[in-house]
């Protein structure tokens, strides 16, 4: 095999019809991976970028595409046998990844590459790769490396098991009568009639899937229903995930200790923008101090309001009633009822609106691919082309990526909202591919218009921000720096930056038209929504502080004495004024504990950068090309070929400051 050939075009695994075929597909990919490593080894004497880094990067590309696509199948394939096989095969791919990360021959070959003639992106890639080898323990003795390898493999097994338990755990709430739906929107009540057969025939049954959960928590007048839904949701995958989580935390602790770190949190920040867990703690303490008083004030205002509303005896509002009372408060104080905006957000219009906004923002063109094979009939496929002021016809016709939209819930499918890179782009050799896995209303085809809440609409754009990062950043020379391969704690910048766009009345009015009469959403309604939405920001930041602290503390305290329940309650009470609800087992379904591990801080840290970035865009013309083009060029296109701090400096001409974030908090506090 020559190293200049592109990796063979990957046949997508979802076109395969059986678990056997899937296993063969993985075996073939792992064989190609092994051949590339052999080629790399045979050139170790005269290592160069082309003879050594290229086969290394191709080996990484094969593993990445294989692992990402298997992971997708594990999350979305309608056939449980295929999901099971994908999960088992993921384990094999992860093993190959762990072995590669501890392979001393590869490390030495990469170290021997003379970097004199390398461009800065390649130099950064090499330096970062060598650092990750050292952090993985490549220079330890054989026994230690064997132990590290076994621990890493065990961590993968446990993480996969944890995720799968969450994916397959759907709680149900059986209603006592239709009266319990009081307060919920008309379209919700119409589409949730009593079951006609089965165990609960004659009863209305709700599930913990997002399209049921979110409206119940926001609108249901019945405190009993809200509480049952809250607990059903917070107890998903409990108790199944307790043992895997505890073991995972112990495994991570041992890995960190073997590598000379005190805790996993220290290891996990060593190659991040944050640099250390001490910096993380300081960052969190500052946010804590900045939001404590205002969050208490918000809470007291809502409690006072609830008492005025006839709940005189109410001593406190608990976590299961927080969204409901917040909504009631916003209706009264800001004349804003979030049900009023839903009719303007039927799913199909939102999808068209997001796609068209992103096309204009990043000067790209999306074309539906009618004949593409996917894993489910509801999935749509799109090709991405360059657009805008391209004089060169060839450039206009160049396809730069492909994406898949899998947007509605179904049995056995992952319950969350995410963007999944599938194939890393390599300039001139393979185009990047990615998918959105979401759970929005509207996929049932039974006449439900799929009316979204505004928060759903911003979630859609958030995930699309990840997707575009994968595609526009996927035109780099190396798979290892392609797309979202920045430091992990830069990843939520492009997604959160885009969320801000959907507070703009003009942008929303382009697509948010009433599902019955076609009227565009009134600017005054959007302005009221924004004012109402600003109330509760301190609370939202402190909710993130709670998640962040829990993810940090679970990875910092000693696993032998860690009490998951006690810590959860302590961290909750430390940050949130809404009363703790006994029986909350959030950790059992908190998948970020396996993915982000101790680094959940990424969301808050990146929010600071995202708001700083957003300020560069002109408030009266968010789509002004001078800024959008610069943003695409300086932030998204480099992918992981530059350190995050350089991306920030390139776009802002300075380091980030918390000023925009502080102003954002301050706006919320203005009476
Ligand atoms: Zn995100």
């Amino acid at each position: 095999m020559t190293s200049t050939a592109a990796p063979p075009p990957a046949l997508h695994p979802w076109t395969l019809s059986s678990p056997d075929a899937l296993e063969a597909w993985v075996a073939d990919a792992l064989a190609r991976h092994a051949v590339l490593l052999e080629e790399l080894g045979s050139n170790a004497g005269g290592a160069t970028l082309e003879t050594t880094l290229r086969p290394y990067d191709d080996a990484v590309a094969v593993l990445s595409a294989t692992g990402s696509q298997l992971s997708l199948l594990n999350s979305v394939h309608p056939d449980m046998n295929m999901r099971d096989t994908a999960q088992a095969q993921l384990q094999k791919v992860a093993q190959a990844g762990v072995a590669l990360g501890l392979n001393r021959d590869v490390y030495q070959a990469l170290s021997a590459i003379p970097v004199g003639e390398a461009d800065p992106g390649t130099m950064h890639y090499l330096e970062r790769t060598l650092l990750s080898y050292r952090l993985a323990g490549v220079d330890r003795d054989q026994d230690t490396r064997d132990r590290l390898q076994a621990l890493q493999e065990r961590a993968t097994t446990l993480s996969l098991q944890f995720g799968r338990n969450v994916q397959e755990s759907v709680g149900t709430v059986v209603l006592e009568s239709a009266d319990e739906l009081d307060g919920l929107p008309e379209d919700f009540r119409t589409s949730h009639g009593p079951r006609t057969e089965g165990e609960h025939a004659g009863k209305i049954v709700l599930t913990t899937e997002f399209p049921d959960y979110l409206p119940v928590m926001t609108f249901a007048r019945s405190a009993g229903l809200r509480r049952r839904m809250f607990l059903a949701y917070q107890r998903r995958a409990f108790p199944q995930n307790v043992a895997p989580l505890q073991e995972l935390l112990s495994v991570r602790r041992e890995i960190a200790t073997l590598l000379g770190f005190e805790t996993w949190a220290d290891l996990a920040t060593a190659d991040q923008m944050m640099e250390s867990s001490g910096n993380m703690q300081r960052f969190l303490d500052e946010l804590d101090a900045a939001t404590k008083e205002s969050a208490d004030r918000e809470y007291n205002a809502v409690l006072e309001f609830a008492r005025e509303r006839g709940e005189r005896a109410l001593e406190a509002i608990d976590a299961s009633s927080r969204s409901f009372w917040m909504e009631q408060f916003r209706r009264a104080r800001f004349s804003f009822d979030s049900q009023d905006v839903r009719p303007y957000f039927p799913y199909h219009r939102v999808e068209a609106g997001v796609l068209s906004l992103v096309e204009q923002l990043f000067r790209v063109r999306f074309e539906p691919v009618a004949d593409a094979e996917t894993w489910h009939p509801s999935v749509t496929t799109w090709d991405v082309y360059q657009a805008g002021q391209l004089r060169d016809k060839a450039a206009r016709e160049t396809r730069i990526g492909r994406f898949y939209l899998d947007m509605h819930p179904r049995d056995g499918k992952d319950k969350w909202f995410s963007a999944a890179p599938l194939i890393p782009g390599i300039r001139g050799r393979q185009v990047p591919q990615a998918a959105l896995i979401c759970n929005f209303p509207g996929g049932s085809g039974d006449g439900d218009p799929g009316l979204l809440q505004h928060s759903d609409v911003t979630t859609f754009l958030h995930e699309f921000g990840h997707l575009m990062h994968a595609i526009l950043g996927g035109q780099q020379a190396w798979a290892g720096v392609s797309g979202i391969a920045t430091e992990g704690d830069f990843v939520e910048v492009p997604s959160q930056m885009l969320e801000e766009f959907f507070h703009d009345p003009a942008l929303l009015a382009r697509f948010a038209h009433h599902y019955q009469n076609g009227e565009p959403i009134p600017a005054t309604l959007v302005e009221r929504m924004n004012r109402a939405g600003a109330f509760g920001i301190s609370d939202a930041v402190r909710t993130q502080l709670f998640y962040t602290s829990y993810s940090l503390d679970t990875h910092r305290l000693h696993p032998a004495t860690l009490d998951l329940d006690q810590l959860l309650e302590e961290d909750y009470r430390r940050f949130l004024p809404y009363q703790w609800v006994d029986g909350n087992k959030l950790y059992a379904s908190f998948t970020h504990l396996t993915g982000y591990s101790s680094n959940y801080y990424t969301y808050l840290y990146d929010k600071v950068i995202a708001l700083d970035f957003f300020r560069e865009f002109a408030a009266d013309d968010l789509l002004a090309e001078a800024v959008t083009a610069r943003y695409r060029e300086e932030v998204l296109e480099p992918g992981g070929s530059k350190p995050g701090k350089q991306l920030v400096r390139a776009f802002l001409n300075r380091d980030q400051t918390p000023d925009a974030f502080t102003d954002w908090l301050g706006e919320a506090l203005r009476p």
Side-chain angles (χ1 to χ4, degrees):
M1 181 182 278
T2 69
S3 59
T4 46
L11 165 73
H12 292 305
W14 51 83
T15 60
L16 304 171
S17 55
S18 70
D20 287 350
L22 184 56
E23 282 178 16
W25 180 82
V26 174
D28 176 61
L30 291 178
R32 271 185 288 131
H33 173 76
V35 168
L36 287 160
L37 290 187
E38 243 167 69
E39 183 189 342
L40 183 161
S42 66
N43 293 323
T48 69
L49 293 175
E50 269 318 302
T51 61
T52 308
L53 189 60
R54 182 56 70 191
Y56 169 80
D57 189 64
D58 282 349
V60 167
V62 170
L63 272 195
S64 159
T66 310
S68 302
Q69 292 179 89
L70 280 174
S71 172
L72 178 92
L73 291 196
N74 183 37
S75 299
V76 301
H77 203 286
D79 178 351
M80 194 166 72
N81 288 327
M82 291 295 270
R83 291 201 299 275
D84 288 344
T85 309
Q87 186 180 343
Q89 295 296 310
L90 257 178
Q91 187 73 39
K92 285 196 182 164
V93 174
Q95 274 169 8
V98 171
L100 177 62
L102 284 165
N103 186 319
R104 200 172 268 191
D105 295 340
V106 171
Y107 173 68
Q108 276 158 359
L110 292 173
S111 309
I113 297 174
V115 289
E117 83 280 29
D119 61 87
T122 303
M123 203 99 102
H124 175 62
Y125 180 29
L126 252 181
E127 279 166 15
R128 213 181 61 176
T129 304
L130 295 175
L131 171 64
S132 75
Y133 266 99
R134 288 190 295 274
L135 285 175
V138 74
D139 44 11
R140 306 295 156 132
D141 61 59
Q142 186 66 45
D143 285 352
T144 310
R145 278 185 294 142
D146 288 348
R147 181 68 188 151
L148 283 167
Q149 186 157 347
L151 289 167
Q152 296 282 15
E153 287 174 9
R154 186 67 190 150
T156 308
T157 311
L158 292 163
S159 298
L160 285 169
Q161 191 188 337
F162 186 96
R164 179 56 94 71
N165 286 343
V166 177
Q167 186 176 329
E168 269 153 27
S169 164
V170 178
T172 54
V173 177
V174 182
L175 269 55
E176 282 150 22
S177 79
D179 293 349
E180 284 199 291
L181 293 182
D182 189 25
L184 280 150
E186 185 63 45
D187 56 289
F188 186 96
R189 281 182 282 155
T190 313
S191 58
H192 289 78
R195 292 215 169 155
T196 50
E197 52 184 22
E199 190 193 346
H200 299 297
K203 296 263 187 197
I204 297 170
V205 181
L206 303 179
T207 73
T208 52
E209 306 253 21
F210 233 72
D212 282 2
Y213 169 77
L214 189 59
V216 166
M217 299 314 292
T218 318
F219 302 123
R221 289 192 183 287
S222 159
L225 175 61
R226 293 195 303 264
R227 201 177 173 91
R228 269 142 59 217
M229 179 61 98
F230 177 84
L231 283 174
Y233 189 80
Q234 303 295 358
R235 292 174 70 88
R236 287 169 304 142
F238 178 84
Q240 307 93 292
N241 268 344
V242 176
L245 178 57
Q246 282 170 332
E247 190 187 342
L248 179 63
L249 294 171
S250 300
V251 164
R252 283 179 174 162
R253 178 75 167 212
E254 190 181 341
I255 292 172
T257 312
L258 281 173
L259 291 168
F261 291 88
E262 201 182 324
T263 72
W264 173 267
D266 296 303
L267 170 61
T269 41
D271 59 352
Q272 300 295 301
M273 291 175 81
M274 187 60 94
E275 293 172 356
S276 74
S277 74
N279 285 348
M280 193 200 310
Q281 190 60 63
R282 265 189 296 283
F283 174 74
L284 299 180
D285 289 344
E286 278 167 27
L287 284 183
D288 183 11
T291 52
K292 171 94 179 82
E293 229 174 278
S294 47
D296 285 344
R297 231 178 11 244
E298 283 174 357
Y299 170 77
N300 287 326
V302 176
L303 177 61
E304 194 52 40
F305 167 82
R307 284 180 182 150
E308 282 164 17
R309 278 295 160 102
E311 305 271 347
R312 276 182 214 298
L314 204 62
E315 279 176 25
I317 297 175
D318 74 28
S320 70
S321 289
R322 171 169 121 195
S323 303
F324 173 79
W325 281 114
M326 193 80 95
E327 168 70 18
Q328 296 296 318
F329 181 87
R330 285 177 178 139
R331 279 184 199 177
R333 292 294 151 89
F334 303 98
S335 310
F336 175 72
D337 178 342
S338 56
Q339 290 197 32
D340 291 347
V341 295
R342 292 179 62 252
Y344 296 95
F345 297 136
Y347 176 79
H348 73 281
R349 275 201 178 277
V350 173
E351 181 185 296
V354 168
L355 266 59
S356 133
L357 170 72
V358 172
E359 284 186 319
Q360 195 178 344
L361 193 54
F362 298 126
R363 286 162 301 123
V364 288
R365 186 159 52 83
F366 300 144
E367 287 192 5
V369 185
D371 55 355
E373 264 190 272
T374 66
W375 51 93
H376 190 268
S378 68
V379 176
T380 56
T381 307
W382 302 79
D383 276 336
V384 186
Y385 294 87
Q386 301 278 17
Q389 307 288 327
L390 292 169
R391 250 170 294 156
D392 178 2
K393 185 163 179 288
R396 279 200 309 269
E397 316 259 290
T398 307
R399 188 170 73 103
I400 58 166
R402 170 170 285 195
F403 63 86
Y404 305 84
L405 299 180
D406 184 349
M407 305 304 272
H408 307 291
R410 59 176 180 270
D411 282 349
K413 179 183 153 179
D414 182 75
K415 305 303 174 208
W416 199 233
F417 300 80
S418 62
L422 298 176
I423 294 185
I426 308 172
R427 189 169 60 231
R429 303 169 91 227
Q430 66 184 24
V431 298
Q433 298 199 20
L436 289 194
I437 306 170
C438 296
N439 287 280
F440 293 118
S444 59
D446 61 359
D448 175 6
L451 302 182
L452 272 57
Q453 297 196 33
H454 183 255
S455 60
D456 292 320
V457 180
T458 45
T459 298
F460 194 155
L461 197 54
H462 173 112
E463 299 307 337
F464 220 92
H466 287 306
L467 187 86
M468 290 315 293
H469 194 191
I471 287 172
L472 294 174
Q475 321 295 324
Q476 290 294 324
W478 310 101
V481 293
S482 181
I484 58 173
T486 53
E487 287 103 322
D489 61 5
F490 187 80
V491 164
E492 298 294 339
V493 173
S495 51
Q496 295 191 100
M497 207 286 290
L498 274 193
E499 286 178 22
E500 297 306 308
F501 279 72
F502 275 170
H503 294 292
D504 184 72
L507 287 190
L508 285 173
R510 286 163 39 135
F511 68 90
H513 298 178
H514 197 286
Y515 80 111
Q516 283 162 327
N517 63 25
E519 292 285 327
I521 191 166
T524 50
L525 178 59
V526 177
E527 279 150 15
R528 287 206 311 277
M529 174 179 79
N530 290 340
R531 271 200 307 277
F535 181 86
I537 281 184
S538 295
D539 189 70
V541 168
R542 293 185 74 78
T543 302
Q544 292 290 58
L545 280 172
F546 159 53
Y547 294 146
T548 304
S549 295
Y550 194 66
S551 85
L552 172 60
D553 293 343
T554 44
H555 288 88
R556 194 164 50 180
L557 297 172
H558 202 288
T561 50
L562 172 67
D563 180 334
L564 288 168
D565 286 293
Q566 194 193 338
L567 180 66
L568 187 71
E569 188 174 340
E570 269 172 24
D571 277 343
Y572 180 90
R573 287 183 189 279
R574 196 168 128 215
F575 291 108
L576 294 168
Y578 292 83
Q579 207 169 47
W580 165 257
V581 173
D582 277 336
N584 183 347
K585 304 286 179 188
L586 160 81
Y587 52 79
S589 59
F590 191 17
T591 46
H592 288 82
L593 284 179
T594 59
Y596 272 106
S597 73
S598 53
N599 290 359
Y600 192 90
Y601 75 85
T602 299
Y603 286 95
L604 285 169
Y605 183 72
D606 288 354
K607 187 80 181 174
V608 172
I609 301 175
L611 288 170
D612 207 349
F613 278 7
F614 183 65
R615 256 198 196 175
E616 294 287 299
F617 294 78
D620 57 351
D621 184 8
L622 290 173
L623 299 178
E625 195 167 323
V627 187
T628 58
R630 195 157 59 80
Y631 179 74
R632 173 180 157 160
E633 214 168 283
E634 301 290 3
V635 179
L636 300 180
E637 285 180 358
S641 68
K642 291 180 185 176
K645 285 180 180 163
Q646 268 182 37
L647 299 175
V648 171
R649 254 172 245 146
F651 184 59
L652 295 176
N653 286 314
R654 57 171 170 78
D655 293 333
Q656 79 250 29
T657 73
D659 297 352
F661 186 83
T662 312
D663 289 352
W664 177 72
L665 279 174
E667 235 166 84
L669 304 180
R670 213 168 294 144

